[in-house]
Amino acid sequence: MAQYVLRRVLIAIPTLFIISVVIFAILALAPGDPLAQFALNPAIPESTRELIRIQFGLDQPWYVRYVKWLTALVRGDWGFSFSTRGPVIDLIWQRLPQTLIVVGTAYVIAVLMAIPIGVISAVKQYSVFDQVATFIAFIGFSVPSFFTGLALMLVFAINLKWFPIVYNSTLNLAGWDGIVEQVRQMTLPVTVLVVQQTAALTRFMRSSMLDNLPLDYVRTARAKGLADRMVIIRHVLRNSMIPVVTLIALGIPTIFAGAIITENLFRVNGIGQLLITSIQNSDTPVVMAITFIFACLTVVFNLIADVLYGVLDPRVRYG
Amino acid sequence: MRSMRNVWRRSGALALLLILIIPVLAACGGQQPAAQPTAAPAQPTAAPAQPTTAPAAQRGGRLKILYWQAVTTLNPHLATGTKDFDGATVILEPLARYNENDELVPFLAAEIPTVENGGVAADGTSVTWKIKPGLKWSDGSDFTVEDIIFTWQYCADPATACTTKAVFDPIANVEKVDDTTVKITWKEPNAYPYISFVGPNGMILQKKQFEKCIGAAASTDAACQAANLAPIGTNAWKLKEFKPGDVVIYERNPFFRDADNVFFDEVEIKGGGDATSAARAVCETEEVDFSWNLQIPKAVLEPILASGKCDPLAGGSFGVERIVVNFSNPDPALGDKRSEPDQPHPFLTDPAVRKAISLAIDRKAIAEQLYGPTGKPTCNVLVVPASVNSPNLTCERDVEAAKKLLEDAGWKLNGAVREKNGVRLVVNFQTSINPLRQSTQAIIKSNLAEIGIQVNVKAIDAAVFFGGDVGNPDTLNKFYADLQMYTNGPNSADPQQYLQGWLCSERASAANQWNGNNDGRYCNPEFDALFDQLKKELDLKKRAELAIKMNDLLVTDGAVIPLINRQTPNAKVKALKGPTFNTFDSSIWNIASWSK
């Protein structure tokens, strides 16, 4: 087992290296200019913008910039953002709490909802509950978040005025009022994310349960005279959880990446919003840092999922 | 029996669905009357949730401002967008700012220097500013002329990479005359003396805080990075909390010269999201007091503004949306010589064709159907300040006159498209991707089809089109098309720098890395001669006359086809007093005097 983990970690190093080269090359070759907004401002002529590009090192070929970026990274320096001229890593630390709170909460709620819904749907297949759950899951699947987000905003924030549309990241969470306000402003973005994520997980849970229900060991358990509830929870659910747990583990890094559209829509200052504005402003160091950390997390959680698989399923052996 | 159960199941599910959907539908239904702009806006019944507090002039509270772009730095000299200049405006000040009438108002200066009061040298070589006595920074230390001198030194160093460098470039020297007087000497005589330390580009940094930040250290040194995000200033508030790319919160600056008259205890500038929901936040939910730059299609914006809870602030000019005519030949067959100034365009060099295009375009339809409150048709390419807005030109649509012009010039219809000597009037018309611009392109395409000119439209990603990437063929500087459309306008109340964009010497070409401002490759000795006159003229009134003459020449010669004067509105809640529109300065230039 330890040997297996070690081998996987060693394989991860060249993988991450290649990922970083590819991302860097794509960013470098994509068109864009950090000062494009000023392109037509006569007070900021092209010569000034050229000067600034040189200061940012953008006049050098991309491979030279890559080597510089990598050597700085090895020393633990993620560089400075072109738009704040401050360290990139500070920006990420500043954004992380909001993303973890909003996207993380949504993920936890989604998991907590999806598992029971999936189980009941499978056990009572084709019941009214199953039909409605399936219907809602397909709505969650097929309606994009920018639509659900806007619709919820229009109905619950603008017409009913139950929730704010401007997310406030400076609330004082020490008092009770602050916590209530925080829950209020999180409701809409979290709902949008929950609808989407629950949809996918429910379907997985349901089909995994359906795979297990007709199997022989279930019949054996029933034949032993175990209560139905016992059979489902102790036997079927445990076995059905194996693929779902790996799916959940693989989904954890996406929490870090934030939810680009939902965060932007509700003005949640998370990583997703940082990523998209940085891409729009050609703020390469920030984009590079976020995507690379995301790549690392994906690799790590892949490994965790694989290890978990072995723990949960004794049939799997690592060699 | 079984089928009966199925029916029950189905209807049960349906009932559940209905239960889920009904509140949504009900809420949507409730929205309808509010969205009707025709409904009498005075009905107070529509506001159940927000009990408006009595507006008795009680000072204090937080002023909430919403931008759909977020502030990322508070050092205006390293800004990457208007939002950064505005974020810095709450803290920092220049010597003087422009008001809504494009006049200068002294801020740190005691008065505006003129030739009459001896502040401006009659020969245009220098200007002397007097600052208000007893000014203090928000850390309690004295504001001195050394800080002004330092700001110039900071940006004059190319390695600092100041965005605002161009306003400091004309300076030869800044020297202290006495404790409250500073003299700026220009490298060459300057007709317009208010270039530096004025408006958003001229905000003054504290020497003590930024002393070690000249050069590359400005962006790489840890102390300087921290200073960029928390500058010490002289304006009515100082920084309380800043999350770059998200929100800035400011609190009272007790050392502000007029602290007793500042209304708000705190100011918040939140950023991000989109312009439409920003408009809703001020006009419908009233979560914020002021919202900036509502670039929204008319059909969406008008119902939001009609809610009656907010006032749009529009006026002046955000720039003129224009069509630039390519005087050089963009034919791809020319290879490297493509769109080079020495390759004349096969048909746009014919003035009849240019005038016919201008005559055929329905500016009124574009303004009314697409821009609404955000733009007015214009015949001028120079519309601000008001003193240089030419009253001489008209540009009514006249299709018959346009056809006759082309006919007389020998362009005969062959099918739907006119031609002469085998040259067909087919134009490639490019602009940036933006729904408004694509709709404008469609109107112009049909307008020109009426007079026998075929238009092929092209839309390019804004970052590419406006980005100066030398390796990219789709930039507006390379102009590998026949016509292109974008917005531009002068950046200071003096039009000289702006008018430079039509000089022969400014033509963009491979030789200058397409850095010339003249992307149409227009060249007219008459215009150049007028520009030389303008450069030497020191009398402001005569300068305005010359500028009008130059505008008229450009437009009548068809060098450029002005379409719309864009007046993108800001919005404020009705109770907020103080905000004005502004052409040459920040939208929140006078924020210290706002009240509620």
Side-chain angles (χ1 to χ4, degrees):
Chain A
M1 183 79 167
Q3 216 183 5
Y4 171 79
V5 173
L6 185 72
R7 205 175 65 218
R8 285 286 302 267
V9 171
L10 288 179
I11 293 173
I13 292 171
T15 314
L16 286 174
F17 176 74
I18 292 167
I19 291 174
S20 70
V21 175
V22 171
I23 304 174
F24 202 96
I26 290 174
L27 286 177
L29 298 176
D33 174 4
L35 291 166
Q37 257 211 49
F38 290 133
L40 281 171
N41 193 331
I44 297 150
E46 176 58 28
S47 56
T48 303
R49 292 194 287 140
E50 183 60 34
L51 208 71
I52 294 172
R53 279 197 287 272
I54 292 172
Q55 281 308 309
F56 288 165
L58 293 176
D59 54 331
Q60 290 154 333
W62 74 268
Y63 43 87
V64 177
R65 279 155 54 198
Y66 176 74
V67 172
K68 281 188 173 170
W69 176 81
L70 194 66
T71 44
L73 183 61
V74 171
R75 292 196 309 268
D77 178 9
W78 290 91
F80 69 88
S81 154
F82 295 161
S83 51
T84 69
R85 307 231 190 159
V88 170
I89 199 70
D90 286 6
L91 276 180
I92 294 179
W93 279 120
Q94 219 162 38
R95 297 306 186 101
L96 202 55
Q98 302 298 338
T99 283
L100 289 183
I101 288 179
V102 175
V103 189
T105 309
Y107 199 67
V108 171
I109 295 178
V111 170
L112 291 180
M113 278 174 64
I115 293 175
I117 293 177
V119 172
I120 299 174
S121 285
V123 175
K124 304 218 164 114
Q125 201 185 0
Y126 305 130
S127 65
V128 174
F129 184 92
D130 185 27
Q131 304 273 15
V132 173
T134 305
F135 182 83
I136 293 173
F138 277 104
I139 290 181
F141 256 134
S142 46
V143 181
S145 57
F146 63 81
F147 182 82
T148 21
L150 284 176
L152 289 180
M153 205 188 246
L154 205 61
V155 173
F156 293 105
I158 290 164
N159 284 306
L160 298 173
K161 298 208 165 74
W162 290 352
F163 306 107
I165 55 175
V166 181
Y167 189 94
N168 182 352
S169 59
T170 56
L171 286 176
N172 176 12
L173 293 179
W176 189 238
D177 288 352
I179 294 172
V180 170
E181 193 52 35
Q182 175 70 18
V183 170
R184 236 165 62 89
Q185 66 180 0
M186 273 172 61
T187 310
L188 291 182
V190 167
T191 311
V192 172
L193 293 170
V194 165
V195 167
Q196 275 206 316
Q197 289 169 343
T198 316
L201 281 172
T202 311
R203 301 307 293 166
F204 245 95
M205 194 63 223
R206 181 177 179 273
S207 66
S208 176
M209 286 288 285
L210 286 177
D211 283 345
N212 276 284
L213 276 171
L215 292 186
D216 287 343
Y217 76 90
V218 181
R219 199 173 304 135
T220 316
R222 288 216 168 96
K224 279 198 299 185
L226 282 180
D228 214 31
R229 173 180 287 267
M230 205 64 138
V231 176
I232 302 289
I233 294 175
R234 291 284 286 277
H235 297 271
V236 188
L237 180 58
R238 270 182 92 168
N239 283 304
S240 312
M241 282 300 281
I242 296 171
V244 178
V245 164
T246 47
L247 191 77
I248 292 172
L250 285 177
I252 291 175
T254 57
I255 297 177
F256 167 81
I260 291 178
I261 292 166
T262 314
E263 284 183 3
N264 219 28
L265 208 56
F266 291 96
R267 300 183 166 82
V268 179
N269 62 326
I271 304 260
Q273 195 199 40
L274 179 66
L275 181 62
I276 191 71
T277 44
S278 303
I279 291 174
Q280 281 163 352
N281 300 328
S282 303
D283 196 345
T284 331
V286 179
V287 181
M288 209 45 219
I290 296 176
T291 44
F292 191 66
I293 293 175
F294 182 58
C296 292
L297 288 176
T298 309
V299 169
V300 169
F301 278 89
N302 247 311
L303 178 59
I304 293 178
D306 284 350
V307 173
L308 264 182
Y309 210 92
V311 174
L312 291 171
D313 188 348
R315 288 169 297 185
V316 176
R317 287 279 160 265
Y318 298 106
Chain B
M1 189 62 189
R2 188 162 176 88
S3 67
M4 195 60 194
R5 271 185 65 186
N6 266 332
V7 169
W8 274 111
R9 250 185 227 147
R10 296 260 153 75
S11 50
L14 245 173
L16 259 172
L17 269 176
L18 280 176
I19 290 168
L20 282 170
I21 287 168
I22 281 168
V24 177
L25 285 177
C28 285
Q31 186 237 348
Q32 292 305 336
Q36 293 296 330
T38 46
Q43 296 291 327
T45 47
Q50 304 281 332
T52 40
T53 43
Q58 190 157 12
R59 295 201 320 158
R62 180 184 279 194
L63 170 65
K64 291 177 137 192
I65 297 175
L66 183 64
Y67 276 42
W68 47 266
Q69 285 184 326
V71 180
T72 51
T73 178
L74 291 174
N75 182 343
H77 301 291
L78 306 181
T80 54
T82 309
K83 37 119 188 156
D84 298 329
F85 286 118
D86 287 0
T89 295
V90 185
I91 301 179
L92 298 167
E93 292 173 294
L95 294 176
R97 284 192 172 280
Y98 293 100
N99 68 8
E100 68 273 26
N101 302 320
D102 309 325
E103 301 150 348
L104 282 172
V105 180
F107 267 64
L108 294 174
E111 60 177 1
I112 304 296
T114 57
V115 179
E116 290 75 43
N117 68 20
V120 177
D123 59 357
T125 51
S126 72
V127 54
T128 307
W129 289 86
K130 276 193 187 317
I131 58 169
K132 292 186 170 118
L135 291 170
K136 286 206 185 297
W137 291 100
S138 64
D139 63 354
S141 62
D142 288 333
F143 176 93
T144 68
V145 292
E146 294 297 334
D147 295 307
I148 302 174
I149 299 170
F150 169 78
T151 303
W152 162 63
Q153 289 165 339
Y154 177 80
C155 279
D157 186 335
T160 313
C162 275
T163 317
T164 52
K165 185 166 178 295
V167 302
F168 296 100
D169 277 343
I171 300 178
N173 192 22
V174 184
E175 60 197 314
K176 178 177 171 177
V177 178
D178 60 46
D179 282 349
T180 55
T181 315
V182 65
K183 183 180 172 192
I184 303 169
T185 314
W186 308 113
K187 285 176 183 159
E188 51 189 60
N190 240 329
Y192 190 73
Y194 315 116
I195 303 170
S196 315
F197 305 113
V198 167
N201 293 332
M203 287 185 252
I204 291 155
L205 297 173
Q206 191 192 35
K207 181 177 180 182
K208 196 172 87 186
Q209 190 182 19
F210 285 91
E211 206 163 15
K212 297 197 174 70
C213 298
I214 295 182
S219 322
T220 54
D221 180 79
C224 298
Q225 288 175 338
N228 294 336
L229 301 182
I232 291 167
T234 51
N235 206 350
W237 294 274
K238 59 181 180 175
L239 186 68
K240 184 181 178 195
E241 190 181 359
F242 179 28
K243 295 187 175 174
D246 177 33
V247 66
V248 204
I249 297 172
Y250 312 85
E251 61 188 356
R252 273 180 189 278
N253 168 10
F255 295 99
F256 180 55
R257 57 188 174 277
D258 199 14
D260 292 343
N261 291 321
V262 176
F263 187 89
F264 295 100
D265 285 340
E266 288 189 344
V267 178
E268 171 192 303
I269 301 183
K270 168 85 180 177
D274 58 287
T276 310
S277 70
R280 289 191 190 284
V282 64
C283 295
E284 292 186 344
T285 69
E286 295 175 282
E287 278 171 63
V288 295
D289 301 312
F290 179 84
S291 190
W292 163 81
N293 196 358
L294 304 176
Q295 281 187 10
I296 310 168
K298 177 199 168 199
V300 181
L301 182 59
E302 280 192 336
I304 297 178
L305 293 180
S307 70
K309 291 176 187 165
C310 65
D311 295 319
L313 304 157
S317 174
F318 175 71
V320 172
E321 181 88 355
R322 81 280 307 281
I323 295 178
V324 180
V325 174
N326 197 346
F327 284 78
S328 65
N329 191 351
D331 186 354
L334 290 172
D336 280 354
K337 291 288 202 184
R338 201 178 176 192
S339 280
E340 283 297 298
D342 56 358
Q343 303 290 329
H345 195 281
F347 55 85
L348 287 175
T349 41
D350 180 348
V353 177
R354 303 195 300 264
K355 276 174 201 159
I357 293 177
S358 179
L359 273 173
I361 292 174
D362 193 349
R363 290 172 177 80
K364 224 168 125 194
I366 296 171
E368 282 171 7
Q369 291 171 20
L370 304 178
Y371 283 84
T374 65
K376 302 268 174 298
T378 180
C379 310
N380 294 326
V381 74
L382 183 62
V383 295
V384 280
S387 60
V388 297
N389 190 7
S390 165
N392 308 329
L393 302 175
T394 55
C395 48
E396 286 297 306
R397 181 168 197 239
D398 192 341
V399 178
E400 290 314 311
K403 282 184 186 161
K404 187 169 180 305
L405 255 176
L406 289 174
E407 204 68 38
D408 292 349
W411 297 95
K412 304 288 177 204
L413 270 178
N414 178 6
V417 180
R418 288 178 192 272
E419 66 171 47
K420 180 164 107 179
N421 308 330
V423 178
R424 285 161 52 84
L425 292 183
V426 178
V427 294
N428 290 320
F429 177 24
Q430 67 181 19
T431 187
S432 70
I433 295 177
N434 171 323
L436 201 56
R437 293 216 162 105
Q438 269 70 71
S439 307
T440 312
Q441 275 183 319
I443 290 181
I444 290 171
K445 185 181 164 110
S446 73
N447 287 162
L448 296 189
E450 275 183 60
I451 59 166
I453 298 178
Q454 184 190 325
V455 177
N456 300 325
V457 297
K458 180 174 176 182
I460 300 160
D461 182 74
V464 174
F465 186 60
F466 295 116
D469 187 354
V470 176
N472 200 304
D474 286 330
T475 61
L476 74 87
N477 315 68
K478 285 206 174 162
F479 201 177
Y480 289 163
D482 304 296
L483 303 174
Q484 65 184 3
M485 178 168 69
Y486 58 82
T487 291
N488 199 1
N491 199 55
S492 86
D494 184 69
Q496 182 175 322
Q497 203 174 21
Y498 174 62
L499 289 169
Q500 200 174 304
W502 286 275
L503 291 178
C504 297
S505 58
E506 283 287 328
R507 283 177 295 178
S509 68
N512 59 21
Q513 295 279 297
W514 296 278
N515 269 351
N517 287 323
N518 184 352
D519 52 340
R521 281 82 164 163
Y522 175 72
C523 184
N524 183 346
E526 198 188 332
F527 182 85
D528 281 20
L530 282 172
F531 188 83
D532 281 339
Q533 238 179 303
L534 180 74
K535 242 166 76 179
K536 290 184 201 118
E537 183 57 64
L538 297 180
D539 181 77
L540 290 177
K541 209 166 160 216
K542 282 186 190 147
R543 286 178 70 80
E545 282 164 17
L546 271 171
I548 289 177
K549 223 171 169 182
M550 292 168 83
N551 169 77
D552 295 357
L553 175 62
L554 287 175
V555 176
T556 48
D557 198 20
V560 58
I561 302 170
L563 299 175
I564 303 289
N565 177 20
R566 296 182 66 178
Q567 302 180 316
T568 303
N570 300 326
K572 68 168 187 71
V573 293
K574 283 220 179 294
L576 184 64
K577 291 186 206 73
T580 67
F581 61 83
N582 200 313
T583 301
F584 297 118
D585 213 318
S586 161
S587 304
I588 57 169
W589 66 282
N590 60 345
I591 188 165
S593 65
W594 291 11
S595 67
K596 204 173 165 185

